[in-house]
Amino acid sequence: MGLYSESPDWADIEPIPQDEGGPNPLAAIHYSEEYSEAMGYLRAVMARNEMSSRALALTEDIIDMNPAHYTIWLYRAEILFAIKADLHQELEWLNETALAHQKNYQIWNHRQTVVDRVGSPAGEAEFIARMFEKDAKNYHVWSYRQWLVRRFDLWEKGELEDVELLLKHDIRNNSAWNHRWFIVFGRDDSAVAGDVIQREMDYAKDAIRLAPQNQSPWNYLKGVTRRAGNPMSSLKDFASEFASIERPNEVRSSYALDLLAEIYSQESDGKLDAAVALDLLAKHYDPIRANYWNYRKALLEQPATAA
Amino acid sequence: MSLVAGPGRGGLGDGQFSQNPKLCVDKHVAYIQSLDQRRDELDYWLTEHLRVSGIYWGLTALHLLGHPDALPRDDLLKYIISCFCDDGGFGAAPGHDSHMLYTLSAVQVLVTLDALEEFEQQIPRGKDKIGRFIADLQNRESGTFAGDRWGEEDTRFMFAGLLALSLLHLKHLVDIDKCVQYVKSCQNFDGAYGVSPGAESHSARVYTCVGTLALAGRLDAADTDALAGWLSERQLPNGGLNGRPEKLEDVCYSWWVLSSMAMIGRLHWIDKDRLTSFIFQCQDPENGGIADRPGDMVDVFHTHFGLAGLSLLGQPGLAEVDPTYCMPKQVVERVLNG
């Protein structure tokens, strides 16, 4: 007895029981009855490739119980398009499903398929903001957001401003830093204007001054420097604000010390200073990676190093 | 194979952690065996969409533990073959659509069981069918792969496809140069890789990208020192590894990070003793199994990746694992050289 077996809407369907494949061992199967019944009807309607609103409702019921069942999502998308269902209503439902199942993969490809068909990103920014309230580093959401930017040409439609808000909230959000790079440098391979390079350098430097022991803006700063074709030595004064081998007890950032070691190693008479910086990292500021720092130190011995 | 979490938790029952924990080999074997019998729980059915991968995780873990025959071989083989679909792929369970991830798991299990011939007796030209299924999912323009006929693309699917083809000696069916180009396009300014061009660097995606380069024989295309530097930064003061900057540690990253570092020859940049001790703390010493971090519920996924990580670290008592294939090295050598 259940939701489907007692409903006149489903009287013509004979549910197909689960086939466990191999020989069925030991323990008695005692699947929650609700889920088991719904799956029986799903197998039956999928077997006849039924495209109907009742089948759509059935997929919704099962997805609510188990959103990771990938086969159902594909079937659901086919039904939606076949019966010309209201796609805005689909997005409303998807919003709640995504909020309830943060780690699910399948929702995102489905959403992409639906939004692509709708042909407009209206409402997506608000939905993403709600997702970020729960977890501003959700990898699926960020990947989806990049798809939206490319699909609807949103490069200059508030993305940078939004990233700044997120970073204001959490300066250590590496996902937001990555999105900043994507928006500023990821559009194509063409040269980026000098004033934009300067703006990005200043932005990363300000973030580092707020929290010097934060990996993300250091990576960003070095990335911008390389992208602009400038030598790392152009960052020497800045890095020296946070670390100096003359004052080994006052290092405020292991990343600054790391960068200084790299800069020294490229100077004609800087090998000894580089070795001092790398020793400090190996012994005091980042001992868990001692083997890495020692490797960098060993590279100093080789002619024409590229640390 | 049940993917139900628990019942035990990592660490000791009273929330305390042993100061000198050991690898609990027998407990883990018993734990994995017990999973095959837990069909009376709802979660067994809710995880049906992962079943074939669950078998791969459990079986590989048992091989690494030195108990390769602890699960009934005939039952496993029958189950795997029952997941084969007419299109040449495998679904996660009987009646599920074919998908790249489960096709890889099924091939890994067939190879580990040394059962490819038996598979072909039941499915004539079965290997070629699998090869076709995988090759048809390659996007011949970009080089990357979709996971199923739905078309979602992800570097996981590219790596999974190449790995399965390599085990079947069918790599020639796809355009490998294009795969290498695609991996290069996923490289970020920090030297590591994301899931697609422009996506944030992530240890698990690094594994799929470096693994692709390894299978293509093109590890020279990685920026080795920058990448390994980024990977070594994943180790946190408690010894565990995370997936991205400013995220929590998790036992499964012991695999994604370590295997990548092993493939590019930089495994020694990780503090081995501290990572070993972290994974040990994630074991349930009473009922077996490994959790994502101490205090959480154990499951077969983290048990497998925790043991595979320990194997790469050279843990005595464990068989050697291959860093690219994530299978017992002995098995990989048999199939590649045999």
Side-chain angles (χ1 to χ4, degrees):
Chain A
M1 289 296 107
L3 195 61
Y4 295 94
S5 59
E6 289 177 16
S7 162
D9 289 346
W10 291 90
D12 60 315
I13 296 287
E14 186 63 38
I16 300 176
Q18 166 68 357
D19 164 19
E20 249 301 275
N24 218 325
L26 326 166
I29 294 174
H30 144 124
Y31 213 35
S32 123
E33 284 179 19
E34 200 188 335
Y35 183 70
S36 165
E37 190 203 16
M39 285 298 294
Y41 281 87
L42 179 81
R43 283 186 279 270
V45 288
M46 282 184 73
R48 28 191 272 183
N49 200 29
E50 180 175 309
M51 298 286 140
S52 66
S53 49
R54 73 172 180 184
L56 191 67
L58 174 63
T59 61
E60 179 171 332
D61 192 18
I62 294 172
I63 287 169
D64 283 346
M65 288 187 268
N66 188 12
H69 196 304
Y70 64 93
T71 294
I72 298 181
W73 286 97
L74 178 51
Y75 179 46
R76 183 174 176 87
E78 285 172 350
I79 300 173
L80 279 175
F81 300 145
I83 68 171
K84 299 193 169 51
D86 179 351
L87 297 181
H88 293 285
Q89 207 178 316
E90 178 70 2
L91 288 174
E92 289 288 317
W93 171 74
L94 268 182
N95 288 353
E96 301 314 312
T97 307
L99 283 160
H101 302 282
Q102 300 272 317
K103 294 241 168 182
N104 177 279
Y105 279 84
Q106 287 76 20
I107 287 172
W108 300 100
N109 194 50
H110 186 75
R111 190 176 192 97
Q112 207 169 299
T113 310
V114 172
V115 170
D116 188 47
R117 184 70 71 104
V118 169
S120 153
E124 293 306 280
E126 293 75 14
F127 162 68
I128 285 174
R130 285 180 72 197
M131 288 298 293
F132 283 161
E133 277 171 27
K134 294 208 167 196
D135 176 8
K137 300 176 182 178
N138 186 315
Y139 202 86
H140 302 300
V141 183
W142 283 106
S143 300
Y144 173 66
R145 185 175 187 152
Q146 291 194 350
W147 175 82
L148 280 176
V149 169
R150 288 192 178 108
R151 167 69 176 81
F152 297 106
D153 196 16
L154 303 177
W155 303 94
E156 285 158 24
K157 303 259 169 66
E159 288 297 301
L160 207 54
E161 293 77 0
D162 201 45
V163 162
E164 277 177 29
L165 274 179
L166 284 164
L167 286 174
K168 204 171 241 176
H169 186 69
D170 177 9
I171 198 74
R172 297 175 185 274
N173 184 340
N174 194 60
S175 307
W177 281 101
N178 184 72
H179 196 66
R180 187 176 181 100
W181 180 278
F182 173 71
I183 292 300
V184 177
F185 300 104
R187 195 167 178 175
D188 50 49
D189 291 331
S190 57
V192 175
D195 57 332
V196 172
I197 295 283
Q198 193 55 49
R199 182 193 73 198
E200 293 308 300
M201 301 276 288
D202 290 345
Y203 187 82
K205 286 179 179 177
D206 287 348
I208 290 168
R209 289 189 179 107
L210 274 175
Q213 191 59 17
N214 178 9
Q215 205 175 124
S216 305
W218 283 104
N219 278 340
Y220 195 86
L221 183 64
K222 289 197 281 186
V224 175
T225 303
R226 268 192 299 270
R227 176 70 186 246
N230 295 330
M232 283 302 149
S233 59
S234 63
L235 297 174
K236 189 172 180 180
D237 289 347
F238 178 71
S240 303
E241 290 179 31
F242 309 95
S244 158
I245 54 171
E246 269 91 56
R247 294 186 304 282
N249 297 320
E250 296 167 32
V251 172
R252 292 164 59 211
S253 168
S254 65
Y255 304 111
L257 201 52
D258 174 359
L259 180 54
L260 282 175
E262 182 178 344
I263 294 167
Y264 289 139
S265 74
Q266 289 159 1
E267 293 174 353
S268 53
D269 55 352
K271 301 274 193 275
L272 285 177
D273 289 347
V276 173
L278 293 168
D279 271 340
L280 279 173
L281 285 161
K283 289 179 182 146
H284 297 289
Y285 291 101
D286 192 18
I288 204 163
R289 298 206 295 151
N291 286 344
Y292 169 66
W293 303 118
N294 291 335
Y295 167 85
R296 288 263 300 268
K297 205 175 148 190
L299 286 181
L300 297 172
E301 312 297 325
Q302 297 173 6
T305 59
Chain B
M1 184 60 53
S2 174
L3 291 119
V4 180
R9 290 179 183 275
L12 296 174
D14 52 3
Q16 298 297 305
F17 302 114
S18 161
Q19 288 308 304
N20 295 300
K22 301 256 181 309
L23 180 65
C24 316
V25 171
D26 293 342
K27 301 281 186 190
H28 295 319
V29 172
Y31 168 72
I32 293 165
Q33 285 177 316
S34 77
L35 290 174
D36 211 28
Q37 289 152 28
R38 291 174 60 184
R39 300 192 179 197
D40 55 344
E41 294 167 63
L42 175 60
D43 272 0
Y44 179 83
W45 303 101
L46 291 184
T47 53
E48 190 181 76
H49 58 276
L50 290 171
R51 186 83 65 233
V52 166
S53 293
I55 291 175
Y56 156 71
W57 295 324
L59 180 67
T60 306
L62 288 170
H63 273 254
L64 297 179
L65 288 162
H67 288 72
D69 303 318
L71 289 174
R73 182 180 185 279
D74 288 351
D75 291 356
L76 293 183
L77 186 54
K78 267 185 200 152
Y79 189 82
I80 294 290
I81 293 176
S82 75
C83 297
F84 185 74
C85 301
D86 294 339
D87 61 9
F90 290 82
H96 287 234
D97 290 343
S98 290
H99 193 285
M100 184 71 92
L101 295 179
Y102 311 113
T103 302
L104 170 62
S105 293
V107 170
Q108 286 174 308
V109 172
L110 288 174
V111 166
T112 303
L113 294 175
D114 197 9
L116 279 174
E117 275 182 33
E118 286 153 272
F119 168 68
E120 288 224 300
Q121 277 161 16
Q122 294 192 42
I123 313 280
R125 302 185 56 76
K127 285 196 279 186
D128 284 344
K129 287 177 184 165
I130 300 172
R132 280 283 141 222
F133 170 78
I134 293 172
D136 285 347
L137 288 172
Q138 187 177 33
N139 178 332
R140 296 282 163 158
E141 267 175 47
S142 70
T144 190
F145 285 69
D148 56 25
R149 64 191 167 97
W150 201 5
E152 182 194 2
E153 293 179 352
D154 186 319
T155 49
R156 286 183 305 156
F157 308 145
M158 176 167 67
F159 175 59
L162 277 187
L163 193 57
L165 289 178
S166 174
L167 290 169
L168 297 169
H169 299 276
L170 292 173
K171 269 195 294 190
H172 59 273
L173 294 180
V174 293
D175 187 337
I176 291 180
D177 291 342
K178 283 262 169 75
C179 296
V180 174
Q181 287 307 318
Y182 192 78
V183 168
K184 283 184 179 173
S185 73
C186 292
Q187 190 182 25
N188 286 317
F189 59 90
D190 52 22
Y193 301 95
V195 70
S196 55
E200 184 185 5
S201 294
H202 185 295
S203 314
R205 277 68 187 196
V206 168
Y207 170 64
T208 64
C209 287
V210 175
T212 298
L213 294 179
L215 291 169
R218 288 297 315 280
L219 283 169
D220 63 289
D223 184 350
T224 304
D225 283 357
L227 173 61
W230 186 89
L231 287 166
S232 70
E233 280 178 329
R234 305 281 58 78
Q235 192 164 27
L236 300 175
N238 67 7
L241 305 173
N242 65 11
R244 297 181 262 164
E246 298 294 330
K247 297 281 285 182
L248 282 178
E249 70 285 354
D250 181 326
V251 156
C252 67
Y253 293 111
S254 309
W255 177 257
W256 317 123
V257 174
L258 285 184
S259 58
S260 303
M261 296 183 85
M263 285 187 267
I264 58 177
R266 296 288 186 277
L267 188 59
H268 58 290
W269 290 3
I270 290 294
D271 186 322
K272 183 181 146 182
D273 292 343
R274 286 212 229 184
L275 177 57
T276 302
S277 152
F278 170 76
I279 301 173
F280 279 180
Q281 306 276 10
C282 296
Q283 300 178 108
D284 173 354
E286 281 153 22
N287 299 308
I290 300 177
D292 58 352
R293 60 185 72 94
D296 286 353
M297 294 255 240
V298 303
D299 61 63
V300 68
F301 175 87
H302 290 94
T303 303
H304 162 76
F305 285 114
L307 292 171
L310 287 171
S311 167
L312 276 185
L313 292 170
Q315 174 66 36
L318 289 181
E320 219 181 323
V321 70
D322 182 284
T324 308
Y325 290 82
C326 199
M327 292 161 62
K329 201 160 202 163
Q330 211 182 349
V331 170
V332 174
E333 280 167 4
R334 164 172 53 74
V335 68
L336 294 187
N337 305 328

